[in-house]
Amino acid sequence: MAATVTPENPRTSPTISRSVTHTVNGSHKFVIQGYSLAKGMGVGKHIASDLFAVGGYHWAIYFYPDGKNPEDNSTYVSVFIALANDGSDVRALFELTLVDQSGHGKHKVHSHFDRSLESGPYTLKYKGSMWGYKRFFRRSLLESSDFLKNDCLKINCTVGVVVSAIENLQLHSINVTESDIGSHFGALLDNMEGSDVTFNVAGEKFPAHKLVLAARSPEFRSKFFDGLDVEQQEIIVTDLDTKVFKALLHFIYRDTLTEEVDEVSSTTSSDFLISETLTAKLLAAADKYGLERLRMMCESRLCKDICVNSVSIILTLADSCHATELKSVCLKFAAENLAAVMMSEGFESMKENCPRLQSEILMTIAGCEVDSCSAGEKSQSVWAQLSDGGDDAE
């Protein structure tokens, strides 16, 4: 019997929900330098990439230069992607690509994404579960191919973690546009309307607004409202060049980096020039003016440039600019690659200009707190052990 609609029993509005299943995708590039040295390490022995996160889980790429199993694939290299943290029935799609380094784009692609309609996602049930190929590529063909260049292999891995969610759909909705406050304040800077202070940087004038600067930077707030420069209309800047100051104002008003903020390639030989890049100088400016978000953005950019030849220079820069996240990454990298880092010119420069950082690297290796009262003695002990170990190597 149908329910009767009365004032005491009104008809409720219809509701609707929807189950949405999709993949959260992420990728990682694994560069294997020194393939010829890794070859011969033994069947079942692997080289692992650093951990990377996709879909709330950590993953690692395992490369077996002599094959994973001895039965039928010892003449092949094997490549697998492994779940690196505890998980329960993690469903995912995978793609492993051996990069063609000739520039012709003829990559070797093994993709689970392409077969997902037939076989569905692969389920990994526990930490250490893997997906991949025992016979990824025949070793003899690999060593004569364009996939191997300068004794280097490059493997790209894409992971798509399957997630499901229930969405409650309203019958009517109104979309809200993205915040455009940055463009409005940027226009204020461009038009110079209402400016009440001018910065003179190497003869170039930059009109600005005290309230905007004070709201963004504790240094400017102190200068304009707590100091003696309340009525000062022109300020001469001597410690920043025009390009850096322009990028600084751009961030203060727009909360973004300028297109001119350059990214240094870690493959170049001019690693000492990293400290002269706009990113490095902007990091120092962020430290001076208390712009924490700008500091983190610069740290993130410089983190991508860390390599054996550059890490000592970036570490010195991070230490001087109180860039704690960047410094921590540099210390870890230097500790993990100490022998090679010690041979770089940057390491010698760091020892001369900031010898304390050498002890901090050694304390990172020792797993001790660098501010311990016995840090100096412990670092000297670690240094002695490293030196002795080098003499005994066969």
Side-chain angles (χ1 to χ4, degrees), residues 4 14 24 37 73 94 98 162 176 188 194 227 229 238 245 256 258 285 307 315 320 362 379 387:
T4 302
V24 177
L37 298 176
N73 63 313
F94 306 97
L98 188 58
V162 178
V176 179
L188 189 66
D229 300 325
T238 59
F245 193 80
T256 60
T258 66
C307 67
L315 175 57
S320 65
L362 297 177
S379 64
S387 300

Side-chain angles (χ1 to χ4, degrees), residues 177-193 209 212 249-250 252-256:
T177 60
E178 295 293 330
S179 172
D180 57 357
I181 188 172
S183 62
H184 286 294
F185 275 93
L188 189 66
L189 177 65
D190 294 338
N191 299 333
M192 299 177 288
E193 183 178 356
H209 307 79
V212 176
L249 286 182
H250 180 97
I252 288 176
Y253 280 80
R254 293 181 172 85
D255 203 42
T256 60

Side-chain angles (χ1 to χ4, degrees), residues 17-22 162-168:
S17 64
R18 177 175 63 187
S19 173
V20 179
T21 302
H22 65 283
V162 178
V163 296
S164 298
I166 298 296
E167 294 183 354
N168 293 318

Side-chain angles (χ1 to χ4, degrees), residues 109-129:
V109 181
H110 296 277
S111 181
H112 193 206
F113 285 85
D114 297 337
R115 304 201 311 268
S116 61
L117 290 178
E118 301 175 4
S119 58
Y122 188 81
T123 301
L124 297 95
K125 295 183 177 296
Y126 51 86
K127 180 179 180 179
S129 297

